[in-house]
Amino acid sequence: MRITDQSIVGVKLIEPQTFPDGRGWFVETYQSERYRDAGITDAFVQDNFSFSRQNVLRGLHFVRGASQAQLFFVSSGEAFAVVADVRPSSPTFGHWWSTVLDTRTCRQVYMAPGLACGFLVTGEHACMHYKVSRAYEPEIDGGVFWNDPALAIEWPTTAPNVSARDAAFPMLSDIPAALLPQVEDTMC
């Protein structure tokens, strides 16, 4: 397994080892001790799964207040995944990072608390798995408009299929700092 830190503090790209043979292949998607040794010490308390069709864009989602860490990957299909820094005290506030997640590579993304994420399905579909460090609480759910010009995310489409909820998210500059994720400065 190879884990590399990315341009936003708290984002890690994980490339697990796959074991192919004549029947197919096997991959270990999580092992707490190995991830802890790599600096991922969050206690994951809930697993989520989404199935999305081609050109669906989900996000950009974040959790207000204490926030949550996430570990996510695509088990079937392909998606363009984005992480945006929405931590007001971060030196990379307003910056974003992206990668392609697919079945072929089995790559994963670790996202520390305080970040927002989204993805666009670039294949026929995408089955996305998420491990999260905080159980879902709708009252602290937040989001940033997927095509905020200030973020200038280079999505590989201009007309995605976006839910009414996600399409109504505000621009990052319109969200009061008190409603953004609050994390300790040591994270940034």
Side-chain angles (χ1 to χ4, degrees):
M1 176 171 63
R2 188 174 117 184
I3 299 179
T4 52
D5 292 324
Q6 300 304 302
S7 59
I8 295 174
V9 173
V11 177
K12 296 176 184 289
L13 180 63
I14 302 161
E15 299 170 284
Q17 185 175 3
T18 58
F19 300 93
D21 64 24
R23 302 168 296 164
W25 50 266
F26 170 85
V27 64
E28 183 179 89
T29 61
Y30 183 76
Q31 201 269 2
S32 63
E33 187 174 320
R34 206 169 281 126
Y35 282 66
R36 187 175 48 252
D37 290 348
I40 299 172
T41 59
D42 307 275
F44 293 109
V45 300
Q46 181 173 311
D47 283 9
N48 301 321
F49 175 86
S50 70
F51 172 86
S52 304
R53 299 184 194 292
Q54 188 169 33
N55 206 43
V56 165
L57 191 150
R58 295 182 184 265
L60 298 163
H61 303 141
F62 65 83
V63 175
R64 296 184 188 116
S67 198
Q68 73 177 358
Q70 290 188 27
L71 177 66
F72 54 94
F73 67 96
V74 167
S75 65
S76 177
E78 180 182 280
F80 176 80
V82 172
V83 177
D85 192 344
V86 295
R87 303 169 292 194
S89 61
S90 173
T92 55
F93 176 76
H95 293 210
W96 61 276
W97 170 88
S98 67
T99 192
V100 173
L101 300 177
D102 59 30
T103 311
R104 185 179 47 78
T105 63
C106 299
R107 293 173 3 156
Q108 302 175 347
V109 174
Y110 168 76
M111 182 182 93
L115 301 169
C117 67
F119 66 89
L120 171 73
V121 179
T122 51
E124 289 184 21
H125 70 276
C127 294
M128 185 72 76
H129 293 258
Y130 316 74
K131 291 182 112 28
V132 297
S133 65
R134 183 184 187 108
Y136 179 68
E137 298 175 59
E139 63 277 1
I140 60 172
D141 204 19
V144 177
F145 183 60
W146 71 274
N147 205 19
D148 185 332
L151 291 174
I153 296 170
E154 296 172 10
W155 295 102
T157 188
T158 56
N161 180 354
V162 181
S163 72
R165 174 183 164 253
D166 289 4
F169 283 147
M171 303 295 177
L172 184 57
S173 62
D174 293 332
I175 304 172
L179 295 181
L180 290 170
Q182 304 301 313
V183 294
E184 295 183 27
D185 289 340
T186 57
M187 287 296 302
C188 303

